[in-house]
């Protein structure tokens, strides 16, 4: 027994020791060190790919292990990354692991080492890390090839907002390398003498052809090479929005979505994102060819539920959205069709339409919209196949547009598009009486009534108004009424009514019937009520009017006015309980005066004028200034007056006038105030507050002073327009005195002159008669001076000459003769003609008195004759001449010689007129014969009108006889005119 | 007859048309071969037209490439683009070339450039740019035909491409995108220089082939001027 116990104890101890040994052996062999570490590179993805194995793993045993990996850059001590990788390791398994470097692998040598530890529950603690594997060096620079400058990474594709590290490798450290991003130089971190890295944070999307980054190597100013990369920055792929699917026919599902931004890049670097539809119940997938829609064929009628996933994908990212739906809840019907209207009348119609049939017992919900007269009505109706709806309460003669859309009534998903049609209801009789008003002009014996009416609104016309009927009924003689018809669009008529009361009914008529009548009564009494006009102030919005209510019953009030400038009568009806209204219309113009008349309408429909109002919607400043007259100008005052200025026709109520006065004096006159004009000049101003006061006496002025004045009216809106000042100069003080003296003197002189003119004949005869009085002649004094007692003055009345001879006096005659006339020219004066009074007696040797005077009346004829007639002058003096010559030499002694010389010098052809005196000579009957038998001269000689005788006619052939003085007057009518 | 303003314009246009076509009327032309003169003139005109067209195209395309290629002072050393025919040549060398050599060089250069240009067209992303490039390629093809015509008129044989040396556009990762852009830049630049050089060449040839003055007088006389 003891032996058994010992044996048993020994066995257990042995077993225990064996177990202990086994554990110790395993512990000695572990940790399992990674071996055969190999590192490869992928330049495109900038990744290191590691692969290794774990030796000493028990056969067919799996152990969970943790591998710690350390990566250094440039040198082993520069560890840039340490990390653990946990995995289950099998016997003889090759392990793989990748690491992506942010720095392009070409830019630096990388070193990798690895160690491991068992992390398996079957192995109790403690576990120990294995030793590090040896460093594995990875360098890509050796494979760069020829060249001195390289930039990495080549043509990298990144998403917008990424951080990118680029670097260059310059094999010649003598070169100075500058790098540029989109033309701007960038600065980086030098990793070693050959390599510099640049960190670009959050790179933006610039263009789909890529962002150009280049480095240029140079020595001095000499470029040694240029190298670059294109960094393709893609926009971030967005999740598709508004993804939905629906069916119109239960055969095809039409799926749509909003794709968002297109992420395509140039140079085929990245195409547009692709879209794929995946249905999870059926497990089918479809690559969509369009970027925003895709059609899915429904193959199984039994499938009602669909779970779609839309996957958007590009080289960098994948996005997806999901929808789950029941097919019957996604029914988008086809549009309704055959929309029609039946039984259309004035107020209702039946609308019909059809829908495309989907399935049996399918119920449609349809919505109807009715548009007309600016209003919209909406109705919902549920139908099966054919739709019908009764449209009521329509307006007559109105065009409507009705449209319908439908949806699945069971599971509303979406309305169809609208399907619509227009229709027009029929006409009906006008529903309202036209609005009528009148203006009455009372004249003796009759009224002229102008009737106005407004066209009915479309709402009340119920169709096209064709004509208006006006029935005029004499209320005093009810049997007499008259119907007049006016075709539309007439809106007024003029009626001449006698002094009776009349009722006027106006109706509007369309093709269906007449409107209710509008009644107005014209009373027999004329509207002669005097109503005072009240001024009101309007605003831009209109005029606010109020009035006292009319005593007694009224059915309403009417306010009428005239629109300017059209002068169209306008009116507004106001209810009986209202005594104020606002007249507002766009027709009101600023600066125009509007006159409002307010009438009350009695129950008998007679209008009675209650009040008158006048005002402006907006008063304006006066448009013109008055024409000012200056009166009573004295040295100290003058009066300004503008009586012609009309205050009524102004664009505002004239409130008064401003009189501006300028003078050299700095002080203003009393009553004037200083004012500054718009041009900055100073003047004196006087304000007249009464618009009817249109004169002003400006006094206290200085004589001989210069003043300027300007008168302008003003309204509440301001003064009239600027105008030039009128200049006035006050006169001298003495000048008025002079005028007081001079004016009467001038008047007197003028009076005398007028009197003289009127009495000129008398004065002439008195002062300087044509035939001078010998008694008053100076010759008389001469004669008296000679004291010849035999000489007497013959009275003109004593001498009866019967012939006058006119003889041209040759030039050079110096004798001054009497009776010169101003009308003669000097040349004529040098050839005076003389009239000789020839004695009729043969014996005229006696001292018969004879008067010689010049008669210029004939000078013209004489001068004329000088050119056309040869008047023979006898070489010897004619008897008359002789007689004259033989006249007492003591009378005309001084003249004689001249006369003789003159005669002797008269050449042949000199003018000579022989005249026959027209003095009354009853005794001389034979004019042809020489007056050989002179009659006894009467006591008085009358000098009568003398007549010129043309020589051509009057003169006989130049015979000796004809040379005598007596010549027959052939044509008495040829006298001098 | 009622002559209005429109009629007179029509008559003027008719007269111009007649004058324009006068040299084309065989009866009025010199009898015999007109020689290479007209075709040299046409080639010269086409070269100038292409120069003008390229100015617009290059602006658009370089903008498409982005900076620095569209910057006016970007003048990189030509390190890549080795396969492009160089237009720059030493002046003395150029002057020493005879007509045949010049024409041959022109023909060969445009053959190559046209091929590369078509490759450019394939890369262009925008439709408008593709249209412009296609139009330019057509014009350049016309210039190539004109040069061939001039060479034929002068009796020079067309250069035969050596088998295997036909330039082809090969897309692929051989070039980085930046170098590809650089090649495009150099292609446009070389085209510009070649067109300038060709204009000089054809102008020189034109002057050389011009008939003497007496012949011109006789020619004009035959036209009845």
């Amino acid at each position: 027994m003891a032996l058994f116990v010992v044996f048993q104890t020994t066995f257990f101890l042995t077993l225990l020791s064996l177990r202990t040994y086994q554990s110790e052996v395993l512990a000695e062999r572990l940790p399992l060190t990674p071996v055969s570490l190999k590192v490869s590179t992928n330049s495109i993805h900038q990744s290191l790919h590691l692969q290794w194995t774990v030796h000493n793993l028990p056969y067919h045993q799996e152990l969970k292990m943790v591998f710690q990996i350390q990566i250094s850059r440039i040198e082993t001590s520069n560890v840039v990354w340490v990390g653990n990788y946990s995995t289950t390791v099998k016997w003889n398994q090759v392990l793989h692991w990748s690491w992506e470097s942010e720095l392009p692998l070409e830019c630096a040598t990388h070193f990798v080492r690895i160690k491991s530890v068992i992390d398996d529950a079957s192995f109790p603690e403690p576990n120990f890390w294995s030793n590090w594997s040896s460093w594995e060096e990875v360098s890509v620079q050796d494979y760069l090839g020829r060249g001195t400058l390289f930039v990495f990474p080549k043509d990298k594709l990144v998403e917008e907002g990424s951080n990118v590290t680029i670097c260059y490798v310059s094999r010649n450290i003598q070169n100075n390398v500058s790098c540029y991003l989109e033309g701007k130089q960038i600065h980086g971190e030098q990793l070693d003498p050959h390599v510099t890295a640049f960190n670009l944070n959050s790179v933006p999307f610039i263009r789909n052809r890529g962002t150009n980054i280049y480095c240029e190597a140079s020595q001095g100013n000499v470029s040694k090479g240029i190298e670059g990369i294109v960094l393709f920055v893609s926009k971030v792929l967005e999740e598709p929005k508004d993804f939905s699917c629906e069916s119109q026919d239960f055969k095809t599902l039409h799926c749509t979505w909003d794709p968002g931004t297109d992420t395509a890049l140039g140079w085929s670097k990245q195409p547009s994102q692709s879209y794929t539809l995946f249905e999870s119940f059926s497990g089918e997938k479809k690559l969509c060819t369009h970027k925003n829609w895709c059609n899915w064929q429904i193959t199984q009628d039994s499938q009602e539920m669909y779970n779609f996933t839309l996957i958007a994908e590009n080289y960098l990212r994948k996005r997806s959205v999901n929808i789950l739906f029941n097919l019957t809840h996604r029914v988008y019907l086809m549009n309704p069709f055959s929309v029609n209207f039946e039984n259309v009348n004035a107020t209702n119609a039946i609308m019909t339409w059809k829908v495309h049939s989907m399935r049996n017992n399918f119920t449609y919900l349809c919505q109807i919209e009715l548009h007309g007269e600016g209003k919209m009505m909406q109705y919902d109706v549920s139908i099966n196949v054919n739709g019908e709806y009764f449209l009521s309460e329509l307006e007559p003669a109105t065009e409507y547009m009705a449209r319908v859309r439908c949806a699945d009534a069971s599971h509303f998903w979406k309305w169809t598009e609208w399907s619509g049609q227009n229709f027009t209801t029929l006409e009906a009789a006008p529903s309202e009486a036209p609005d009528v008003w009148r203006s009455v002009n009372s004249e003796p014996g009759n009224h002229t009534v102008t009737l106005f009416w407004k066209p009915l609104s479309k709402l009340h016309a119920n169709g096209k108004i064709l004509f208006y009927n006006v029935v005029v009924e004499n209320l005093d003689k009810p049997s007499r009424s008259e119907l007049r018809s006016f075709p539309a669009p007439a809106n007024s008529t003029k009626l001449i009514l006698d002094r009776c009361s009349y009722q006027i009914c106006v109706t509007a008529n369309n093709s269906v019937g007449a409107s209710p009548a509008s009644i107005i009564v014209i009373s027999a009494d004329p509207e002669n009520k005097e109503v005072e006009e009240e001024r009101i102030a309007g605003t831009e919005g209109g005029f606010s009017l109020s009035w006292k209510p009319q005593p007694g019953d009224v059915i309403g009030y009417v306010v009428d006015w005239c629109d300017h400038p059209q002068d169209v009568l306008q009116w507004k009806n106001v209810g009986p309980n209202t005594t104020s209204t606002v007249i507002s219309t766009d027709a009101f113009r600023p600066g125009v005066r509007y006159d409002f008349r307010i009438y009350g309408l009695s129950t008998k429909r007679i209008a009675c004028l209650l009040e008158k109002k006048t005002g402006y919607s907006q008063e304006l400043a006066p448009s013109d200034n008055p024409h000012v007259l200056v009166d009573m100008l004295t040295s100290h005052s003058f009066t300004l007056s503008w009586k012609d200025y009309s205050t009524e026709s102004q664009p505002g109520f004239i409130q008064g006038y401003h009189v501006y006065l300028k003078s050299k004096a700095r002080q203003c006159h009393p009553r004037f105030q200083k004012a500054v004009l718009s041009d900055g000049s100073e003047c004196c101003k006087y304000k007249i507050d009464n618009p009817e006061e249109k004169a002003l006496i400006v006094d206290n002025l200085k004589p001989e002073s210069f003043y300027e004045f300007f008168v302008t009216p003003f309204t509440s809106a301001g003064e009239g327009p600027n105008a030039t000042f009128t200049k006035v100069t006050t006169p001298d003080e003495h000048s008025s005195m002079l005028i007081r003296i001079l004016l009467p003197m001038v008047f007197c002189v003028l009076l005398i002159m007028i009197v003289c003119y009127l009495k000129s004949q008398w004065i002439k005869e008195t002062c300087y008669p044509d035939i001078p009085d010998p008694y008053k002649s100076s010759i008389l004094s001469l004669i008296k001076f000679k004291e010849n007692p035999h000489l007497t003055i013959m009275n003109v009345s004593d001498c009866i000459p019967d012939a006058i001879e006119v003889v041209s006096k040759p030039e050079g005659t110096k004798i001054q003769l009497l009776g010169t006339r101003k009308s003669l020219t000097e040349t004529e004066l040098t050839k005076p003609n003389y009239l000789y009074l020839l004695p009729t007696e043969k014996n005229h040797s006696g001292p018969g008195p004879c008067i010689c005077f010049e008669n210029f009346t004939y000078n013209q004829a004489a001068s004329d004759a000088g050119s056309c007639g040869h008047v023979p002058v006898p070489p010897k003096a004619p008897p008359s001449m002789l007689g004259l010559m033989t006249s007492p030499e003591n009378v005309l002694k001084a003249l004689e010689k001249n006369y003789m010389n003159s005669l002797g010098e008269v050449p042949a052809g000199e003018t000579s007129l022989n005249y026959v005196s027209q003095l009354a000579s009853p005794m001389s009957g034979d004019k042809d014969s020489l007056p050989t038998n002179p009659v006894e001269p009467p006591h008085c000689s009358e000098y009568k009108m003398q007549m010129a005788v043309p020589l051509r006619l009057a003169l006989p052939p130049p015979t000796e006889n004809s040379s005598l003085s007596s010549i027959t007057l052939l044509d008495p009518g040829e006298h001098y005119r | 007859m009622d002559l209005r303003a429109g009629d007179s314009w029509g008559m003027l246009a008719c007269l111009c048309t007649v004058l324009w076509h006068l040299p084309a009327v065989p009866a009025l032309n010199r009898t015999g071969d007109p020689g290479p003169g007209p075709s040299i003139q046409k080639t010269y005109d086409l070269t100038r037209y292409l120069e003008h067209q390229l100015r617009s195209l290059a602006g658009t395309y370089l903008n498409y490439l982005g900076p620095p290629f569209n910057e006016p002072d970007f003048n990189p050393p030509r390190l890549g683009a080795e396969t492009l025919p160089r237009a720059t040549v030493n002046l003395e060398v150029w002057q020493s070339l005879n007509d045949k050599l010049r024409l041959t060089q022109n023909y060969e250069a445009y053959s190559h450039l046209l091929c590369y240009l078509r490759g450019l067209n394939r890369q262009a992303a925008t439709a408008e740019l593709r249209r412009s490039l296609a139009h330019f390629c057509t014009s350049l093809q016309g210039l190539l035909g004109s040069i061939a015509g001039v060479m034929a008129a002068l009796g020079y044989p067309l250069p035969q491409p050596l088998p295997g040396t036909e330039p082809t556009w090969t897309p692929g990762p051989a070039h980085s995108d930046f170098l590809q852009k650089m090649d495009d830049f150099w292609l446009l630049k070389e085209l510009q220089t070649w067109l300038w050089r060709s204009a000089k060449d054809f102008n020189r040839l034109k002057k050389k082939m011009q008939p003497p003055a007496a012949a011109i007088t006789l020619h004009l006389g035959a036209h009845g001027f």
Side-chain angles (χ1 to χ4, degrees), chain B residues 88-100:
Chain B
T88 45
V89 64
N90 183 278
L91 184 66
E92 285 178 7
V93 174
W94 182 64
Q95 282 177 339
S96 68
L97 294 176
N98 59 27
D99 295 336
K100 182 185 174 185

Side-chain angles (χ1 to χ4, degrees), chain A residues 432-670:
Chain A
E432 197 166 274
D435 186 4
V436 178
W437 186 236
R438 90 293 176 276
S439 73
V440 181
N441 277 334
S442 295
E443 294 164 10
N446 57 34
H447 303 307
T448 302
V449 178
T450 310
L451 207 61
F452 300 92
W453 58 87
K454 291 176 183 172
L456 285 174
S457 65
K458 198 169 184 307
L459 180 67
H460 298 123
N462 291 343
K464 186 183 179 186
I465 298 298
L466 301 175
F467 57 91
Y468 295 90
N469 280 341
V470 177
V471 178
V472 182
E473 187 181 354
N474 191 325
L475 295 177
D476 299 336
K477 299 168 187 171
S479 59
R480 294 176 63 181
S481 64
E482 186 186 353
L483 168 67
R484 300 183 194 183
S485 195
F486 302 95
N491 61 356
S492 67
T493 185
K494 194 170 274 188
L495 307 170
I496 296 174
L497 307 175
D498 57 15
R499 292 279 181 175
C500 293
S501 295
Y502 281 90
Q503 176 178 287
I504 300 168
C505 301
V506 182
T507 56
N509 298 264
N510 63 12
S511 64
V512 177
S515 69
S518 186
I519 299 168
I520 201 162
V521 174
I522 308 295
S523 70
D525 299 328
E527 289 183 341
N528 53 2
K529 187 179 175 184
E530 287 296 327
V531 177
E532 194 175 338
E533 191 174 71
E534 183 192 345
R535 285 186 178 180
I536 52 169
T539 62
E540 287 183 12
F543 291 89
S544 179
L545 304 175
S546 61
W547 57 89
K548 293 174 186 170
Q550 188 183 14
D553 290 337
V554 288
I555 58 167
Y557 297 95
V558 176
V559 181
D560 76 5
W561 71 95
C562 266
D563 261 354
H564 292 284
Q566 295 87 1
D567 279 338
V568 179
L569 185 71
Q570 304 289 328
W571 69 94
K572 182 179 180 182
N573 296 305
V574 184
N577 300 323
T578 311
T579 55
S580 65
T581 187
V582 175
I583 308 291
S584 57
T585 164
D586 293 338
F588 288 143
R589 297 279 175 268
V592 176
R593 185 183 284 197
Y594 293 96
D595 297 319
F596 298 94
R597 289 175 296 187
I598 300 157
Y599 294 86
L601 281 177
S602 70
T603 49
K604 293 180 180 176
R605 296 183 180 276
I606 298 173
C608 174
L609 180 63
L610 301 179
E611 291 182 25
K612 285 184 181 177
K613 315 259 182 190
T614 184
Y616 296 84
S617 66
Q618 185 192 344
E619 282 193 68
L620 299 180
S623 56
D624 58 345
N625 292 319
H627 176 66
V628 181
L629 298 173
V630 182
D631 294 332
M632 320 264 297
L633 177 63
T634 68
S635 55
H636 291 286
S637 70
F638 56 80
T639 304
L640 305 176
S641 69
W642 53 95
K643 304 288 185 193
D644 296 338
Y645 187 70
S646 168
T647 55
E648 295 300 309
S649 57
Q650 296 301 325
F653 292 120
I654 299 293
Q655 296 179 348
Y657 305 92
H658 286 150
V659 180
Y660 293 95
L661 189 69
K662 281 186 189 175
S663 66
K664 289 182 180 175
R666 292 191 173 179
Q667 294 296 325
C668 285
H669 295 81

Side-chain angles (χ1 to χ4, degrees), chain B residues 133-148:
Chain B
L133 279 166
H135 179 62
F136 188 79
C137 282
T138 312
S139 303
L140 200 62
Q141 182 74 56
L143 178 64
L144 208 57
S146 288
I147 297 171

Side-chain angles (χ1 to χ4, degrees), chain A residues 154-155 182-183 207-216 223-230 232 266-267 269, chain B residues 61 63-69 71 74-77 79 123 125-126 175-182 184:
Chain A
K154 294 283 180 198
D155 311 330
E182 287 292 313
R207 68 179 76 79
N208 62 7
R209 284 96 66 194
T211 306
N212 301 321
I213 301 162
Y214 73 99
C215 299
E216 187 171 14
S223 177
K224 292 292 177 183
I226 188 167
E227 187 61 50
I229 59 165
V230 181
F232 287 92
W267 268 270
K269 201 68 188 174
Chain B
Y61 194 83
N63 274 334
Y64 174 71
L65 296 181
F69 303 102
E71 287 167 3
F74 182 64
N75 189 22
L79 298 176
Q123 295 178 64
T126 65
H175 262 46
S176 74
D177 289 320
F178 188 82
L179 284 180
Q180 185 62 53
K181 284 186 177 184
M182 192 71 99
D184 294 349

Side-chain angles (χ1 to χ4, degrees), chain B residues 109-223:
Chain B
Y110 288 120
S111 302
H112 281 72
L113 289 168
L114 182 62
C115 180
Y116 290 119
L117 209 57
R118 282 177 179 149
L120 210 68
N121 194 7
R122 287 187 201 104
Q123 295 178 64
T126 65
E128 188 191 345
L129 196 56
R130 272 202 295 273
R131 234 183 346 263
S132 299
L133 279 166
H135 179 62
F136 188 79
C137 282
T138 312
S139 303
L140 200 62
Q141 182 74 56
L143 178 64
L144 208 57
S146 288
I147 297 171
V150 171
M151 289 179 79
L154 294 172
Y156 303 143
L158 280 181
Q160 295 298 318
L162 291 172
T165 59
E166 182 75 20
T168 50
W169 183 83
T170 49
H175 262 46
S176 74
D177 289 320
F178 188 82
L179 284 180
Q180 185 62 53
K181 284 186 177 184
M182 192 71 99
D183 283 357
D184 294 349
F185 172 83
W186 278 111
L187 171 62
L188 294 170
K189 191 152 185 161
E190 284 298 344
L191 252 174
Q192 208 167 23
T193 322
W194 266 111
L195 285 168
W196 178 82
R197 180 178 159 179
S198 298
K200 289 264 181 199
D201 284 349
F202 293 120
N203 195 32
R204 187 183 175 131
L205 195 62
K206 188 175 68 176
K207 283 179 182 167
K208 196 173 173 184
M209 293 294 161
Q210 225 166 23
I216 292 171
T217 314
L218 190 64
H219 178 62
L220 291 174
H223 276 206

Side-chain angles (χ1 to χ4, degrees), chain A residues 282-299:
Chain A
S282 61
E284 291 179 9
K285 185 183 270 191
K286 182 181 181 184
L287 183 65
C288 300
T289 50
H290 297 94
K291 65 177 186 178
N292 60 346
W293 63 271
C294 203
N295 279 340
W296 183 275
Q297 294 300 320
I298 297 169
T299 51

